[in-house]
Amino acid sequence: MTVVEARDVATVPSEERGGVLSRTYRALSIGIVSVVVVIAFEATAVGTAMPVAARELGGVGLYAFAFSGYFTTSLFGMVLAGQWSDRDGPLASLASGIGAFATGLLLSGTAGGMWMFILGRAVQGLGGGLVIVALYVVVGRAYPERLRPAIMAAFAAAWVVPSVVGPLAAGAVTEHLGWRWVFIGIPALVGVPLALALPQIRRRASGHAAGDDRAPLDRRRIRLAFGIALGAGLLQYAAQDLRPLSLVPAAAGAALLVPAVRGLLPRGTCRAARGLPSVVLLRGVSAGAFIAAESFVPLMLVTQRGLSPTLAGLSLAAGGGTWALGSWVQARPRVEPYRDRLMFLGMLLVAAAVAAAPSVLISAVPVWTVAVAWAFGCFGMGLVIASTSVLLLHLSAPEEAGSNSAALQISDALSNVLLLAVGGAAFAALGGGAVARTATAVTSATPSSRPAAFTVVFLPMAGVALVGAWVTTRLRER
């Protein structure tokens, strides 16, 4: 512990000098980490069931839209949550978000067609956007700065068990009961996190950050949030349509998106200005490249190598543990002076993992190559994602924590939408939708030969991750 850290601890009341699991913070920490566990279980389980759902609903051509539909509406939810949390505290945003999250899962699980399935994902995304920003505000308000890296590491650790159990459970349920039960069953897990987290959040993190005055919602930011969500949705629709007429929604989407991005993200984000703008940009670049690639891994393994949904999902299972390990490493006090270098290393690992994944399209390459590559990539993501959260809170005043956390999550989700749109368009253009027509059964499908459709998704995303490595050199203000 440094002299400065010792001085900081000395000024903290004795009952608040412990860690995140001390008596003071235990209930709150367990509650909010439990919320992350539910989100993590949903992400890993749904990813495993998605190829089967898309096939049964006749929507493999809209496969990327099923993922990006979530991120599109979450953009609006994030801005709303930032405004709502700064004005009234994070409690209402978190509770409403969990309710919408569960409702969306039920809509997708009972869908009779692909577009209804996507609608459910959109409702779920709105809830997810409300939840994730509210959680960041809780961390910023309820925990001292010395504990924030630790609680961020706990968030990452919360993905470990779901990453291992989620694919196995979802694969077994999908194969024996049907993919719908994967979606319908998850809302039952929501009650415990609510019961644990909400009372503690009401006590420790409620109310307006700057005092008793309640500032009105910034209607301009709400309009921009609607514009960014609608613009991203139009661009995604145009990318999936691939007809000359699709240029019309593409142009309309860009016209809405550009001013909204400029108004919602910190000035200088698009040009990687030093400090907070580059932190926000890095979050989008890293998350977008990784998620866009990861979304296609189970589909690639099922359709190109003939794996079952369970085995395809388990190929990503080790990543949960290595992601948590990377987040734990960044939380060590001794590595704080080297945080920028660790983030640079993390982005190089992500680029290498994404570039290595399509090697399994060559039949001579063992399928487990993906699992090994993804484990290293997730370690890199653990170093980067948790660090961007820590840096953002460090650079934000308490009354700006909600808006800046929303900007971080907007960058994350918007990059996911745009890169999934690009990847999905390339996938469809090279015949990716044909995988649904060349395989007649899920568990005994004859692998279809569409390697180019997958390669054109993965290799550009590796290039985007390398851009992220450069952005890590601009995180500190000189």
Side-chain angles (χ1 to χ4, degrees), residues 130-465:
L130 291 171
V131 168
I132 193 64
V133 171
L135 286 177
Y136 275 75
V137 175
V138 170
V139 172
R141 290 192 181 191
Y143 294 87
E145 187 169 353
R146 64 186 179 85
L147 292 182
R148 291 171 191 167
I151 195 64
M152 291 300 177
F155 282 177
W159 283 75
V160 175
V161 173
S163 295
V164 176
V165 176
L168 180 62
V173 170
T174 298
E175 292 179 28
H176 299 291
L177 298 178
W179 63 267
R180 296 181 185 276
W181 287 102
V182 174
F183 291 84
I184 295 172
I186 293 175
L189 303 176
V190 170
V192 173
L194 279 176
L196 288 170
L198 297 187
Q200 290 298 315
I201 294 172
R202 182 181 294 110
R203 185 170 70 90
R204 302 185 64 87
S206 61
H208 180 52
D212 295 331
D213 295 334
R214 298 177 64 197
L217 293 176
D218 188 337
R219 294 185 179 182
R220 175 179 173 273
R221 289 184 66 85
I222 299 298
R223 289 195 299 269
L224 290 175
F226 182 77
I228 201 172
L230 180 57
L234 288 171
L235 283 175
Q236 174 67 20
Y237 177 81
Q240 293 293 130
D241 195 24
L242 293 180
R243 292 184 299 173
L245 285 177
S246 65
L247 292 175
V248 175
L256 288 169
L257 200 60
V258 172
V261 168
R262 291 173 62 87
L264 292 172
L265 299 185
R267 186 185 300 272
T269 298
C270 295
R271 56 183 174 83
R274 289 191 174 276
L276 182 63
S278 284
V279 173
V280 172
L281 177 62
L282 178 62
R283 180 56 166 263
V285 169
S286 58
F290 188 80
I291 295 300
E294 186 178 60
S295 299
F296 284 86
V297 170
L299 186 66
M300 177 177 67
L301 295 177
V302 168
T303 62
Q304 305 301 292
R305 296 300 296 264
L307 268 65
S308 68
T310 303
L311 292 177
L314 283 175
S315 67
L316 306 177
T322 56
W323 190 310
L325 178 61
S327 187
W328 179 84
V329 168
Q330 68 79 37
R332 300 303 91 197
R334 293 181 180 180
V335 307
E336 179 60 35
Y338 312 104
R339 186 178 295 278
D340 297 359
R341 297 179 187 178
L342 286 176
M343 297 172 78
F344 179 80
L345 172 63
M347 290 310 304
L348 291 183
L349 290 174
V350 172
V354 174
S359 66
V360 299
L361 293 168
I362 303 172
S363 58
V365 176
V367 174
W368 51 258
T369 301
V370 170
V372 174
W374 228 248
F376 280 98
C378 285
F379 178 78
M381 288 294 287
L383 293 174
V384 173
I385 296 299
S387 290
T388 58
S389 302
V390 171
L391 287 176
L392 178 114
L393 292 174
H394 175 74
L395 295 170
S396 300
E399 65 273 13
E400 297 174 342
S403 296
N404 286 345
S405 295
L408 190 75
Q409 300 302 326
I410 288 168
S411 179
D412 186 322
L414 180 61
S415 181
N416 287 335
V417 171
L418 296 180
L419 292 180
L420 276 167
V422 172
F427 178 75
L430 293 181
V435 299
R437 296 188 293 272
T438 57
T440 57
V442 172
T443 58
S444 60
T446 301
S448 59
S449 181
R450 298 285 174 174
F454 289 95
T455 302
V456 79
V457 172
F458 287 98
L459 296 186
M461 299 309 156
V464 173

